[in-house]
Amino acid sequence: MITRVLVSFWNNMGDNPLWGLFRNPREVFKKDELGLEMAQIALPAALALTADPIASLIDTAFIGHIGPVELAAVGVAIAVINQVSKIAIFPLVSVTTSFVAEEDAMRSLKGETEEIKLLEKGFSADSELIPKTETSDGENKKRHISSASSAMAIGAILGLIQSIFVIFAAKPILEYMGIKSNSPMLKPALRYLTLRSLLFKTTKTAMVGDAANIVLDPIFIFLFGMGVSGAAIAHVISQYLIALMLMWRLSEQVSLLPPTVKDLQLGRFFKNGLLLLFRVIAATSCITLAASLAAKLGSTSMAAFQVCLQVWLATSLLADGLAVAGQAILANAFARKDYERATATAVRVLQWSLVLGLVLSLVVAVILKFSSEFFTKDITVLRLLHLGIPFVAVTQPINSLAFVFDGINFGASDFAYSAYSMVLIAASSIFFLFFLSSSHGFVGIWIALSIFMSLRALAGFLRIGTRTGPWGFLRS
């Protein structure tokens, strides 16, 4: 009887992507078509997604040598910037990735259908009537991708609104975050937040910007004696530099101006973007609340929290590159109704995320333990910092899986589930943050954040594991 149950369980789990985590482990890094396509998307996406957190980490490292008060102040300001920018831009980026992949799939299917019809009518494969993707001189034509045009237009507007909002509401926002009018953290936090808000996040940045930031930070902070303001100015300059480079490269391949206003598809963007807006508000509220609670514990706790948080975010977002790759390939597969490829993609990207998380766990534990003084020389800050390192390291595999599950859900256009589940997770996590921070202080905040990420990963497991929503095809 037991054997029969086990065999039935094995057979039922066969096509489940979660089962793929433990199946054929030797094929995780197989250099097949799927693996190469994932790598080609994941690597540049990871570099782009981690650019801003790494730039903030660079600022943190240099500012830490000014003093713990400045380090804590910048930590609060960065938490605010992350909250506002993610609310303004993340929903747009997420839906754009899926829409572009779907549009590309539909365009490809349309071209294949037209070519088949022409071949059936007797035209040869090299007939001029059959659509071509290249000009006579071999150069690629610019593609008209409505989703990309829409994203650029909406992103520019949202970026401008974001900057204006932060500039005029900086002081009350910081007071809400726990920095009172008589706090020594207020002035440096206000300067950094105001100057950083001048960066319109209309596009993702890459590692070239971080290199520029490394060069400019010491020049503006120490050589020009501008302190916290210099760090913010260096950050803005470096990010604008790479944004312009990316815009130039994109304009070579894609026509950024839509043929008509109808091609902007604004209604479709706002419908799905609204769901993800609720989701990102819920998710970022937990991180922002954690920073606020750390600030209320004092500048020492906030300084240590800032270092741990920036390392936590920068390393974890490497997995977001995998999430983008999985999302793009899955959106294309679902548009084509190629469920076999969708399953294979989910399996591979989850395997990669688990391996990446384990590697990051080891790297963070070793490097952060021996390089803590790179961020600050303050003994009390270092003592708290060492309490946070185990949480930053141990949660890496959990974070990787959570981010990748998000990408998988977005690729399947499962935006509603992603939004509603995140609201429930955030509500639970906020309770844990208040309860554990009051009883265990700095450590309690990190326990609550670990619970938050674990619940996010669990939500992804449940959706695919129960074969519901867009994954219902796994039952057949």
mmCIF file of all heavy atoms in Angstrom, residues 144-180:
data_model
loop_
_atom_site.group_PDB
_atom_site.id
_atom_site.type_symbol
_atom_site.label_atom_id
_atom_site.label_comp_id
_atom_site.label_asym_id
_atom_site.label_seq_id
_atom_site.Cartn_x
_atom_site.Cartn_y
_atom_site.Cartn_z
ATOM 1 N N HIS A 144 9.475 48.264 -34.178
ATOM 2 C CA HIS A 144 8.452 49.044 -33.498
ATOM 3 C C HIS A 144 7.834 48.163 -32.424
ATOM 4 O O HIS A 144 7.034 47.282 -32.711
ATOM 5 C CB HIS A 144 7.375 49.524 -34.489
ATOM 6 C CG HIS A 144 7.867 50.544 -35.464
ATOM 7 N ND1 HIS A 144 8.136 51.847 -35.098
ATOM 8 C CD2 HIS A 144 8.138 50.450 -36.788
ATOM 9 C CE1 HIS A 144 8.562 52.522 -36.151
ATOM 10 N NE2 HIS A 144 8.575 51.700 -37.192
ATOM 11 N N ILE A 145 8.218 48.376 -31.176
ATOM 12 C CA ILE A 145 7.684 47.606 -30.051
ATOM 13 C C ILE A 145 6.854 48.553 -29.210
ATOM 14 O O ILE A 145 7.384 49.409 -28.487
ATOM 15 C CB ILE A 145 8.809 46.967 -29.221
ATOM 16 C CG1 ILE A 145 9.649 46.043 -30.104
ATOM 17 C CG2 ILE A 145 8.244 46.193 -28.040
ATOM 18 C CD1 ILE A 145 10.808 45.376 -29.388
ATOM 19 N N SER A 146 5.544 48.419 -29.299
ATOM 20 C CA SER A 146 4.628 49.344 -28.633
ATOM 21 C C SER A 146 4.845 49.367 -27.126
ATOM 22 O O SER A 146 4.763 50.426 -26.493
ATOM 23 C CB SER A 146 3.176 48.961 -28.948
ATOM 24 O OG SER A 146 2.950 48.985 -30.339
ATOM 25 N N SER A 147 5.127 48.192 -26.549
ATOM 26 C CA SER A 147 5.311 48.106 -25.100
ATOM 27 C C SER A 147 6.511 48.926 -24.651
ATOM 28 O O SER A 147 6.470 49.585 -23.604
ATOM 29 C CB SER A 147 5.501 46.645 -24.681
ATOM 30 O OG SER A 147 4.401 45.862 -25.050
ATOM 31 N N ALA A 148 7.576 48.904 -25.434
ATOM 32 C CA ALA A 148 8.777 49.666 -25.081
ATOM 33 C C ALA A 148 8.499 51.169 -25.158
ATOM 34 O O ALA A 148 8.905 51.939 -24.284
ATOM 35 C CB ALA A 148 9.927 49.293 -26.003
ATOM 36 N N SER A 149 7.796 51.585 -26.200
ATOM 37 C CA SER A 149 7.454 53.006 -26.338
ATOM 38 C C SER A 149 6.576 53.467 -25.180
ATOM 39 O O SER A 149 6.770 54.560 -24.628
ATOM 40 C CB SER A 149 6.727 53.233 -27.665
ATOM 41 O OG SER A 149 7.521 52.821 -28.757
ATOM 42 N N SER A 150 5.608 52.637 -24.824
ATOM 43 C CA SER A 150 4.708 52.967 -23.721
ATOM 44 C C SER A 150 5.486 53.101 -22.420
ATOM 45 O O SER A 150 5.271 54.033 -21.635
ATOM 46 C CB SER A 150 3.632 51.887 -23.575
ATOM 47 O OG SER A 150 2.907 51.726 -24.765
ATOM 48 N N ALA A 151 6.392 52.149 -22.176
ATOM 49 C CA ALA A 151 7.164 52.154 -20.939
ATOM 50 C C ALA A 151 8.030 53.407 -20.827
ATOM 51 O O ALA A 151 8.144 54.003 -19.745
ATOM 52 C CB ALA A 151 8.040 50.908 -20.867
ATOM 53 N N MET A 152 8.656 53.815 -21.918
ATOM 54 C CA MET A 152 9.507 54.997 -21.898
ATOM 55 C C MET A 152 8.684 56.253 -21.591
ATOM 56 O O MET A 152 9.103 57.105 -20.792
ATOM 57 C CB MET A 152 10.218 55.156 -23.237
ATOM 58 C CG MET A 152 11.196 54.043 -23.574
ATOM 59 S SD MET A 152 12.525 53.873 -22.372
ATOM 60 C CE MET A 152 13.341 55.442 -22.561
ATOM 61 N N ALA A 153 7.521 56.364 -22.199
ATOM 62 C CA ALA A 153 6.675 57.544 -21.989
ATOM 63 C C ALA A 153 6.162 57.601 -20.548
ATOM 64 O O ALA A 153 6.249 58.631 -19.873
ATOM 65 C CB ALA A 153 5.497 57.523 -22.964
ATOM 66 N N ILE A 154 5.626 56.478 -20.077
ATOM 67 C CA ILE A 154 5.090 56.431 -18.714
ATOM 68 C C ILE A 154 6.213 56.608 -17.694
ATOM 69 O O ILE A 154 6.062 57.299 -16.680
ATOM 70 C CB ILE A 154 4.351 55.101 -18.470
ATOM 71 C CG1 ILE A 154 3.164 54.975 -19.427
ATOM 72 C CG2 ILE A 154 3.861 55.010 -17.031
ATOM 73 C CD1 ILE A 154 2.504 53.611 -19.418
ATOM 74 N N GLY A 155 7.370 55.971 -17.962
ATOM 75 C CA GLY A 155 8.497 56.061 -17.041
ATOM 76 C C GLY A 155 8.999 57.487 -16.877
ATOM 77 O O GLY A 155 9.349 57.909 -15.772
ATOM 78 N N ALA A 156 9.051 58.233 -17.962
ATOM 79 C CA ALA A 156 9.505 59.622 -17.889
ATOM 80 C C ALA A 156 8.571 60.457 -17.017
ATOM 81 O O ALA A 156 9.017 61.267 -16.193
ATOM 82 C CB ALA A 156 9.590 60.210 -19.292
ATOM 83 N N ILE A 157 7.273 60.243 -17.184
ATOM 84 C CA ILE A 157 6.284 60.991 -16.393
ATOM 85 C C ILE A 157 6.379 60.614 -14.918
ATOM 86 O O ILE A 157 6.406 61.486 -14.038
ATOM 87 C CB ILE A 157 4.862 60.723 -16.930
ATOM 88 C CG1 ILE A 157 4.722 61.270 -18.354
ATOM 89 C CG2 ILE A 157 3.813 61.361 -16.024
ATOM 90 C CD1 ILE A 157 3.437 60.856 -19.048
ATOM 91 N N LEU A 158 6.443 59.309 -14.644
ATOM 92 C CA LEU A 158 6.522 58.854 -13.252
ATOM 93 C C LEU A 158 7.809 59.317 -12.577
ATOM 94 O O LEU A 158 7.807 59.678 -11.394
ATOM 95 C CB LEU A 158 6.425 57.327 -13.202
ATOM 96 C CG LEU A 158 5.074 56.710 -13.560
ATOM 97 C CD1 LEU A 158 5.172 55.191 -13.555
ATOM 98 C CD2 LEU A 158 4.000 57.176 -12.585
ATOM 99 N N GLY A 159 8.901 59.305 -13.324
ATOM 100 C CA GLY A 159 10.167 59.753 -12.760
ATOM 101 C C GLY A 159 10.132 61.218 -12.358
ATOM 102 O O GLY A 159 10.646 61.603 -11.300
ATOM 103 N N LEU A 160 9.506 62.033 -13.184
ATOM 104 C CA LEU A 160 9.393 63.461 -12.888
ATOM 105 C C LEU A 160 8.509 63.696 -11.657
ATOM 106 O O LEU A 160 8.860 64.490 -10.764
ATOM 107 C CB LEU A 160 8.819 64.192 -14.099
ATOM 108 C CG LEU A 160 8.650 65.706 -13.972
ATOM 109 C CD1 LEU A 160 9.993 66.382 -13.706
ATOM 110 C CD2 LEU A 160 8.004 66.280 -15.230
ATOM 111 N N ILE A 161 7.379 62.993 -11.606
ATOM 112 C CA ILE A 161 6.478 63.123 -10.462
ATOM 113 C C ILE A 161 7.183 62.678 -9.177
ATOM 114 O O ILE A 161 7.064 63.322 -8.124
ATOM 115 C CB ILE A 161 5.200 62.280 -10.682
ATOM 116 C CG1 ILE A 161 4.380 62.862 -11.845
ATOM 117 C CG2 ILE A 161 4.358 62.231 -9.416
ATOM 118 C CD1 ILE A 161 3.202 61.997 -12.254
ATOM 119 N N GLN A 162 7.929 61.583 -9.262
ATOM 120 C CA GLN A 162 8.663 61.062 -8.109
ATOM 121 C C GLN A 162 9.638 62.109 -7.570
ATOM 122 O O GLN A 162 9.713 62.352 -6.362
ATOM 123 C CB GLN A 162 9.420 59.804 -8.505
ATOM 124 C CG GLN A 162 10.434 59.323 -7.491
ATOM 125 C CD GLN A 162 11.360 58.272 -8.072
ATOM 126 O OE1 GLN A 162 10.922 57.438 -8.853
ATOM 127 N NE2 GLN A 162 12.625 58.333 -7.700
ATOM 128 N N SER A 163 10.400 62.735 -8.462
ATOM 129 C CA SER A 163 11.400 63.718 -8.044
ATOM 130 C C SER A 163 10.759 64.930 -7.374
ATOM 131 O O SER A 163 11.212 65.386 -6.320
ATOM 132 C CB SER A 163 12.225 64.168 -9.254
ATOM 133 O OG SER A 163 12.931 63.087 -9.807
ATOM 134 N N ILE A 164 9.691 65.439 -7.977
ATOM 135 C CA ILE A 164 9.000 66.608 -7.415
ATOM 136 C C ILE A 164 8.431 66.278 -6.037
ATOM 137 O O ILE A 164 8.551 67.064 -5.086
ATOM 138 C CB ILE A 164 7.887 67.079 -8.369
ATOM 139 C CG1 ILE A 164 8.501 67.595 -9.683
ATOM 140 C CG2 ILE A 164 7.032 68.158 -7.716
ATOM 141 C CD1 ILE A 164 7.472 67.903 -10.748
ATOM 142 N N PHE A 165 7.833 65.095 -5.906
ATOM 143 C CA PHE A 165 7.225 64.689 -4.640
ATOM 144 C C PHE A 165 8.257 64.614 -3.519
ATOM 145 O O PHE A 165 8.053 65.144 -2.423
ATOM 146 C CB PHE A 165 6.532 63.328 -4.818
ATOM 147 C CG PHE A 165 6.078 62.719 -3.517
ATOM 148 C CD1 PHE A 165 4.943 63.186 -2.882
ATOM 149 C CD2 PHE A 165 6.790 61.680 -2.938
ATOM 150 C CE1 PHE A 165 4.520 62.632 -1.678
ATOM 151 C CE2 PHE A 165 6.380 61.111 -1.747
ATOM 152 C CZ PHE A 165 5.243 61.589 -1.114
ATOM 153 N N VAL A 166 9.389 63.953 -3.796
ATOM 154 C CA VAL A 166 10.412 63.768 -2.759
ATOM 155 C C VAL A 166 11.043 65.098 -2.363
ATOM 156 O O VAL A 166 11.300 65.358 -1.183
ATOM 157 C CB VAL A 166 11.492 62.777 -3.231
ATOM 158 C CG1 VAL A 166 12.629 62.695 -2.214
ATOM 159 C CG2 VAL A 166 10.887 61.393 -3.422
ATOM 160 N N ILE A 167 11.302 65.974 -3.340
ATOM 161 C CA ILE A 167 11.931 67.267 -3.043
ATOM 162 C C ILE A 167 11.071 68.090 -2.087
ATOM 163 O O ILE A 167 11.568 68.659 -1.105
ATOM 164 C CB ILE A 167 12.196 68.048 -4.341
ATOM 165 C CG1 ILE A 167 13.351 67.398 -5.120
ATOM 166 C CG2 ILE A 167 12.534 69.507 -4.035
ATOM 167 C CD1 ILE A 167 13.566 67.984 -6.491
ATOM 168 N N PHE A 168 9.766 68.162 -2.345
ATOM 169 C CA PHE A 168 8.892 69.010 -1.536
ATOM 170 C C PHE A 168 8.397 68.334 -0.253
ATOM 171 O O PHE A 168 7.972 69.015 0.678
ATOM 172 C CB PHE A 168 7.691 69.472 -2.373
ATOM 173 C CG PHE A 168 8.047 70.501 -3.401
ATOM 174 C CD1 PHE A 168 8.258 70.150 -4.720
ATOM 175 C CD2 PHE A 168 8.194 71.831 -3.045
ATOM 176 C CE1 PHE A 168 8.601 71.095 -5.680
ATOM 177 C CE2 PHE A 168 8.533 72.796 -3.997
ATOM 178 C CZ PHE A 168 8.742 72.430 -5.310
ATOM 179 N N ALA A 169 8.461 67.015 -0.198
ATOM 180 C CA ALA A 169 7.957 66.309 0.991
ATOM 181 C C ALA A 169 9.073 65.654 1.794
ATOM 182 O O ALA A 169 8.801 64.834 2.671
ATOM 183 C CB ALA A 169 6.936 65.247 0.557
ATOM 184 N N ALA A 170 10.317 66.014 1.509
ATOM 185 C CA ALA A 170 11.463 65.345 2.144
ATOM 186 C C ALA A 170 11.422 65.430 3.665
ATOM 187 O O ALA A 170 11.595 64.421 4.365
ATOM 188 C CB ALA A 170 12.767 65.938 1.614
ATOM 189 N N LYS A 171 11.208 66.618 4.207
ATOM 190 C CA LYS A 171 11.266 66.793 5.665
ATOM 191 C C LYS A 171 10.169 66.019 6.399
ATOM 192 O O LYS A 171 10.456 65.274 7.347
ATOM 193 C CB LYS A 171 11.203 68.282 6.024
ATOM 194 C CG LYS A 171 11.521 68.543 7.491
ATOM 195 C CD LYS A 171 11.665 70.037 7.764
ATOM 196 C CE LYS A 171 12.042 70.288 9.223
ATOM 197 N NZ LYS A 171 12.240 71.728 9.506
ATOM 198 N N PRO A 172 8.887 66.153 6.005
ATOM 199 C CA PRO A 172 7.854 65.359 6.704
ATOM 200 C C PRO A 172 8.039 63.857 6.536
ATOM 201 O O PRO A 172 7.706 63.090 7.448
ATOM 202 C CB PRO A 172 6.537 65.840 6.065
ATOM 203 C CG PRO A 172 6.922 66.549 4.812
ATOM 204 C CD PRO A 172 8.277 67.104 5.050
ATOM 205 N N ILE A 173 8.585 63.430 5.392
ATOM 206 C CA ILE A 173 8.835 61.997 5.195
ATOM 207 C C ILE A 173 9.878 61.509 6.188
ATOM 208 O O ILE A 173 9.723 60.448 6.811
ATOM 209 C CB ILE A 173 9.303 61.715 3.747
ATOM 210 C CG1 ILE A 173 8.167 61.918 2.762
ATOM 211 C CG2 ILE A 173 9.830 60.278 3.639
ATOM 212 C CD1 ILE A 173 8.586 61.795 1.306
ATOM 213 N N LEU A 174 10.954 62.279 6.364
ATOM 214 C CA LEU A 174 12.010 61.893 7.304
ATOM 215 C C LEU A 174 11.505 61.905 8.743
ATOM 216 O O LEU A 174 11.892 61.053 9.550
ATOM 217 C CB LEU A 174 13.209 62.826 7.153
ATOM 218 C CG LEU A 174 14.001 62.678 5.840
ATOM 219 C CD1 LEU A 174 15.061 63.760 5.737
ATOM 220 C CD2 LEU A 174 14.634 61.295 5.752
ATOM 221 N N GLU A 175 10.647 62.853 9.076
ATOM 222 C CA GLU A 175 10.057 62.883 10.416
ATOM 223 C C GLU A 175 9.194 61.649 10.648
ATOM 224 O O GLU A 175 9.197 61.065 11.740
ATOM 225 C CB GLU A 175 9.235 64.161 10.600
ATOM 226 C CG GLU A 175 10.084 65.425 10.704
ATOM 227 C CD GLU A 175 9.252 66.673 10.874
ATOM 228 O OE1 GLU A 175 8.004 66.559 10.808
ATOM 229 O OE2 GLU A 175 9.827 67.760 11.070
ATOM 230 N N TYR A 176 8.467 61.247 9.608
ATOM 231 C CA TYR A 176 7.656 60.025 9.702
ATOM 232 C C TYR A 176 8.539 58.797 9.904
ATOM 233 O O TYR A 176 8.161 57.849 10.583
ATOM 234 C CB TYR A 176 6.821 59.874 8.432
ATOM 235 C CG TYR A 176 6.044 58.578 8.363
ATOM 236 C CD1 TYR A 176 4.864 58.425 9.087
ATOM 237 C CD2 TYR A 176 6.500 57.508 7.592
ATOM 238 C CE1 TYR A 176 4.156 57.236 9.040
ATOM 239 C CE2 TYR A 176 5.795 56.322 7.537
ATOM 240 C CZ TYR A 176 4.624 56.186 8.266
ATOM 241 O OH TYR A 176 3.928 55.008 8.227
ATOM 242 N N MET A 177 9.735 58.831 9.325
ATOM 243 C CA MET A 177 10.672 57.717 9.443
ATOM 244 C C MET A 177 11.360 57.672 10.805
ATOM 245 O O MET A 177 12.142 56.773 11.084
ATOM 246 C CB MET A 177 11.734 57.810 8.343
ATOM 247 C CG MET A 177 11.212 57.516 6.950
ATOM 248 S SD MET A 177 10.774 55.795 6.712
ATOM 249 C CE MET A 177 12.375 55.008 6.779
ATOM 250 N N GLY A 178 11.085 58.640 11.649
ATOM 251 C CA GLY A 178 11.636 58.604 12.999
ATOM 252 C C GLY A 178 12.731 59.605 13.262
ATOM 253 O O GLY A 178 13.306 59.630 14.362
ATOM 254 N N ILE A 179 13.075 60.454 12.272
ATOM 255 C CA ILE A 179 14.108 61.467 12.476
ATOM 256 C C ILE A 179 13.415 62.776 12.877
ATOM 257 O O ILE A 179 12.824 63.458 12.047
ATOM 258 C CB ILE A 179 14.947 61.678 11.207
ATOM 259 C CG1 ILE A 179 15.647 60.373 10.816
ATOM 260 C CG2 ILE A 179 15.981 62.771 11.422
ATOM 261 C CD1 ILE A 179 16.532 60.483 9.604
ATOM 262 N N LYS A 180 13.492 63.122 14.153
ATOM 263 C CA LYS A 180 12.831 64.315 14.668
ATOM 264 C C LYS A 180 13.599 65.576 14.299
ATOM 265 O O LYS A 180 14.744 65.524 13.867
ATOM 266 C CB LYS A 180 12.675 64.206 16.191
ATOM 267 C CG LYS A 180 11.918 62.957 16.643
ATOM 268 C CD LYS A 180 10.541 62.879 16.017
ATOM 269 C CE LYS A 180 9.779 61.637 16.465
ATOM 270 N NZ LYS A 180 8.472 61.502 15.783
#
